Amino acid sequence: MLRFYGEKPCQMDHLDRILLSGIYNVRKGKTQLHKWAERLVVLCGTCLIVSSVKDCQTGKMHILPLVGGKVEEVKRRQHSLAFSSAGAQAQTYHVSFETLAECQRWQRQASKVVSQRISTVDLSCYSLEEVPEHLFYSQDITYLNLRHNFMQLERPGGLDTLYRFSQLKGLNLSHNKLGLFPVLLCEISTLTELNLSCNGFHDLPSQIGNLLNLQTLCVDGNFLTTLPEELGNLQQLSSLGISFNNFSHIPEVYEKLTMLDKVVMAGNHLEVLNLGVLNRMSHIKHVDLRMNHLKTVVTENLEGNKYITHMDLRDNQLADLDLNSLCSLEQLHCERNQLRELTLSGFSLRTLYASSNRLTAVNVYPVPSQLTSLELSRNLLECVPDWACEAKKMEILDVSCNLLTEVPMRILSSLSLRKLMLGHNQVQSLPALVDHIPLEVLDIQHNLLTRLPDTLFSKALNLRYLNASANSLESLPSAGAGEESLSALQLLYLTNNLLTDQCVPVLVGHPHLRILHLANNQLQTFPASKLNKLEQLEELNLSGNKLKTIPTTIANCRRLHTLVAHSNNISIFPEILQLPQIQFVDLSCNDLTEILIPEALPATLQDLDLTGNTNLVLEHKTLDTFSHITTLKIDQKPLPTTDSTVTSTFWSHGLAEMAGQRNKLCVSALAVDNFAEGVGAVYGMFDGDRNEELPRLLQCTMADVLLEEVQQSTNDTVFMANTFLVSHRKLGMAGQKLGSSALLCYIRPDTADPTSSFSLTVANVGTCQAVLCRGGKPVPLSKVFSLEQDPEEAQRVKDQKAIITEDNKVNGVTCCTRMLGCTYLYPWILPKPHISATPLTIQDELLILGNKALWEYLSYTEAVNAVRHVQDPLAAAKKLCTLAQSYGCQDNVGAMVVYLNIGEEGCTCEMNGLTLPGPVGFASTTIIKDPPKPTTPSSSSGIASEFGSEMSTSEVSSEVGSTASDEHNTVGLDAGLLPRPERRCSLHPTPTSGVFQRQPSCATFSSNQSDNGLDSDDDQPVEGVITNGSKVEVEVDIHCCRGRDLENSPTLTENSPTPCPEEHARGSFFGIRRQNSVNSGILLPVSKDKMELQKSPSTSCLYGKKLSNGSIVPLEDSLNLIEVATEAPKKKTGYFAAPTQLEPEDQFVVPRDLEEEVKEQMKQHQEGRPEPEPREEDRTELPEEFDTAL
């Protein structure tokens, strides 16, 4: 782990931030009566210590208290400070420093001390084993913080010496790994506050009863099972924290501590709650038993408890809960249990929180007349309880995510209800309103509504927020009968309905609208006269409709700062660049062709998204005008050296990120469609919650780390785990206090499952998730590592004695239990990922990656159904983010949609209708350039245009750099003599009779440097190769045809049939001879059928040895030819795609002494004569060659 808390204790000599000292010229007093003298000056704690240089420890020492004093610069003397104490008889010392930097350093440190109102010294997180000796001269210290150190007992400045602070009242020794309670602390009788959390204590000493002035004692996060009886002597103790220990029952000592009013025992091992024990503690009003193992609640007698007012039972295992005996109960928290039935007393009940259970019935008697807030979301309720309809003071009711089919009239017409949450139910209609109601917030999204009550807006005049998204609304009710509308509606969300243009005039009746979402409806026009009247509009979302234009009257919406209108048919850029407050504009996935911009853009414009407009052409002048925009998103046009066919035909992706109401975007994404030279793809999502630094660091580094790890191991669990651990380490100092969720998806050819062409490996930490759509059904591939959703992880964190706060965060920092970063929270927060591997099949349609905010508002099923019929992955990702925002998400949201085309529709074989350009001849002279290093992935790598022969299974192409040589003689080949072989893809490989099948590999050619590093500019241009002087690509088929151990395998018979001219033409290849010289290659035709070998144990391993990264390196005489395809298909940009090989380091050479033999073989084939067997003495041992992997 990084050096933060795992470091060794610091030496006292290096604690410059704690203690400043040096020998300086010092003068006492404000006047000049005293002379300057050389003195030893020490600034430690709350005091300035001045002593003689010779007798600094034994001589006379002057101690100047600084709390409440002053530190000022001396104007008459350079680099001097005046330190003054507080009070009527304040003393002053002038200290002269040698440099300005040293003077400023002392001034900063002293300013912190003098600004304090009480004498507090904070020495937390300094890795101390003891306190500095000079600190004991600060006898005015009242509060000492030694949290997160390595304090020892028996040392000169250890814990056993802290009693020397005579006025010490507060002491914090949490997270010091003490193991044993320091007994001598019990002699500091002045202590009123003591924090000893997370020190590994198993018991408390009886001497703790001597701290009679103690008011607050915190021993959370230890291993305590009992409390000593002597603790009952502390009659002034008003706060006792024993959470996250090993208690199995409520200690009896609570009965003696009458000043306590709370039992705080969260995270212990209680399985049974005995209410009879609480009845004997009349002083206890609050009980916190969350995150225990409670299964039952026992009542000893029928006597009720009139004292307990607040009960917290969250995150337990309760199935039924009967607290009817707690007649004074005002507030109950019982979320995330397994409750089926709940029974309470309603005499004093004010708030009830019972979400995320299995409740089918909630019984409260009598009717709670004081109830103001009722939360019953995420249960199995089929109707609203009757007693809730009669609660006269209820202001908030949340029954979302239940099984409700109707809403009682008494609820909607309540005269006290201000907030009603009914989303995610099965409500088909709302009752009509007769009287005016005070309702302010109404959420009815995700129901079965076809219409809203006609009198909704006329009777609910206080309604400010209405969310009716994801229904089947076809129209909207009128805002009022008269011309002057009294509507106060400000936020209106109507996304994902069936609304048409007829609903637009109704919106005019809401003149105070600030936010309007009409996405994913059936709008075709938006009348200009209607938009003109929405002058208060600040945010407008019209995406996913059929709009062709945005009205010009949008220029009258002077307060508009956000316009989202993606996925329409808009062809004319709207007049929004003149709005003074415009900040965010999204017009992606439209039909824009040009943009008319004013001379000056508004200074507030921060984000402009124009991606997905295929016909849009931006001039250089326009781009210069947009240069000041923080985020400008446009489609990148293909460069002249880029081949469009390099793009994979098996997958494509779209990405959308929206900041919401946050000022910064803390979500980043990684997308590489052509990874590792085109043999796979990598997609990732990173969510930093509140920080944007870590997601960006992971976005820039994680793909490179994965590329390195893939070359070291072929086991997906190994290389994925190592990728996360290495990325965690590379975060450096930024990862000490900051953390980020991370999700990584890697698609690669599946070598383990012969029935699958590709496999998908997913690894994640935190809350980012990936979902695969298989046959129209969602398949979750990741695991959510949070305290609320993963009980196993929550138990692990509890067992390691972390403090989980009431908002379910580890040490109050994060709800995640596994993240990259946050190293100071180790071992509670781990970087170990969850890893899953899934073979991709023809049924797999798409992959969705999203951060926490996306999946909080969209279920897996809804997300899959929303995008599986959208043609463009960019539009699909945009749609998901828009839905999340319309459903209530106000945080950063990110979504990536990867369309998979693994089935037959992704086939590129000629039999499916695809054709190749005509054949092109090859020249005889090429120079092979060494492939790049493994740590440098090619930015233009990709899968493209499978091109096969009878021997090939699949080819994956990659753009490689090359230049043609220009002065050597070339040997061309008449392309018309060789018929082009049938093109096959990786899904339909051509069956071969030989053992050698083509492996994906990369061939890189360059004329700038030959293999020996010499210049080769005199080479003549290669015939049939089109180049612009910088890069060239050719199709290469690398085989081995003969090896030293061929005699161990079945050999070809002499009476093999001679191929016919057509077969002979198709079977002709060229051999490339590679030597360390300038003239490095000779192309020679070779018979194909002589190269076909029978399958045998000796040939199945390619006569090679396997490297650590899984590549095959041939032995010295494994082969003697490189077969090169007789033609290379032309591409639109004039380049060729070379089939990428999985083992780019495999380079096969033809020795000089075999050149004549190869020529003879070619000559014999042309004459139709059988080839004589090669002589044994002609077989020369080839040198073993190793090249750097890509």
Side-chain angles (χ1 to χ4, degrees), residues 1027-1163:
T1027 178
N1028 63 353
S1030 61
K1031 294 183 178 180
V1032 67
E1033 294 186 356
V1034 296
E1035 286 270 353
V1036 182
D1037 186 9
I1038 301 178
H1039 289 158
C1040 54
C1041 70
R1042 198 165 87 189
R1044 180 179 58 187
D1045 299 330
L1046 281 178
E1047 60 273 9
N1048 298 330
S1049 62
T1051 58
L1052 298 176
T1053 58
E1054 294 185 0
N1055 55 358
S1056 299
T1058 302
C1060 62
E1062 291 80 3
E1063 294 175 346
H1064 174 77
R1066 285 204 310 269
S1068 298
F1069 292 85
F1070 286 101
I1072 296 182
R1073 169 175 170 262
R1074 184 174 186 269
Q1075 296 290 345
N1076 290 332
S1077 62
V1078 176
N1079 301 327
S1080 61
I1082 298 178
L1083 296 175
L1084 300 172
V1086 183
S1087 173
K1088 174 186 173 182
D1089 51 17
K1090 288 295 181 181
M1091 294 184 293
E1092 293 180 351
L1093 300 177
Q1094 303 293 333
K1095 288 185 178 180
S1096 67
S1098 60
T1099 58
S1100 60
C1101 64
L1102 293 178
Y1103 304 100
K1105 58 184 179 181
K1106 195 165 187 177
L1107 295 180
S1108 60
N1109 64 351
S1111 63
I1112 302 295
V1113 176
L1115 294 178
E1116 295 181 354
D1117 201 10
S1118 298
L1119 49 98
N1120 59 3
L1121 290 177
I1122 296 180
E1123 299 173 3
V1124 181
T1126 58
E1127 63 186 75
K1130 292 182 179 179
K1131 306 297 174 67
K1132 296 179 181 180
T1133 57
Y1135 292 93
F1136 302 110
T1140 306
Q1141 302 285 345
L1142 287 178
E1143 290 77 41
E1145 67 271 32
D1146 297 346
Q1147 299 290 344
F1148 305 108
V1149 299
V1150 180
R1152 290 182 179 272
D1153 53 349
L1154 294 182
E1155 292 178 6
E1156 296 300 328
E1157 180 182 352
V1158 174
K1159 291 180 180 180
E1160 184 66 24
Q1161 292 176 1
M1162 179 180 174
K1163 181 178 180 181

Side-chain angles (χ1 to χ4, degrees), residues 221-223 244-246 266-270 289-294 315-317 787 791-804 810 817 828:
N222 287 286
F223 298 93
F244 300 98
N245 280 279
N246 295 342
N268 279 278
H269 296 168
L270 275 71
L289 297 177
R290 58 189 174 86
M291 302 190 74
N292 275 271
H293 301 158
L294 291 176
D315 299 287
N316 279 282
Q317 303 172 18
L787 293 172
E792 295 181 0
E793 282 292 293
Q795 186 61 42
R796 177 185 66 82
V797 174
K798 283 174 51 181
D799 293 342
Q800 293 173 343
K801 301 307 176 182
I803 304 300
I804 302 175
V810 179
T817 59
W828 307 315

Side-chain angles (χ1 to χ4, degrees), residues 173-240:
L173 286 171
S174 62
H175 297 87
N176 270 273
K177 303 179 181 179
L178 298 178
L180 296 176
F181 190 98
V183 180
L184 289 182
L185 292 181
C186 300
E187 298 181 5
I188 309 178
S189 59
T190 57
L191 278 179
T192 60
E193 180 180 341
L194 180 60
N195 190 338
L196 293 168
S197 301
C198 301
N199 277 293
F201 298 153
H202 287 79
D203 52 47
L204 298 181
S206 59
Q207 292 87 337
I208 198 171
N210 298 333
L211 299 175
L212 299 180
N213 293 319
L214 198 63
Q215 300 176 11
T216 301
L217 175 61
C218 184
V219 287
D220 298 334
N222 287 286
F223 298 93
L224 302 177
T225 56
T226 58
L227 293 178
E229 295 182 1
E230 290 77 6
L231 195 64
N233 299 334
L234 308 182
Q235 291 301 309
Q236 297 188 31
L237 192 66
S238 59
S239 176
L240 175 60

Side-chain angles (χ1 to χ4, degrees), residues 622-640:
T622 304
L623 293 175
D624 292 340
T625 307
F626 287 156
S627 60
H628 81 280
I629 302 177
T630 304
T631 304
L632 174 62
K633 301 177 183 178
I634 58 176
D635 290 329
Q636 294 185 358
K637 302 302 180 182
L639 299 175

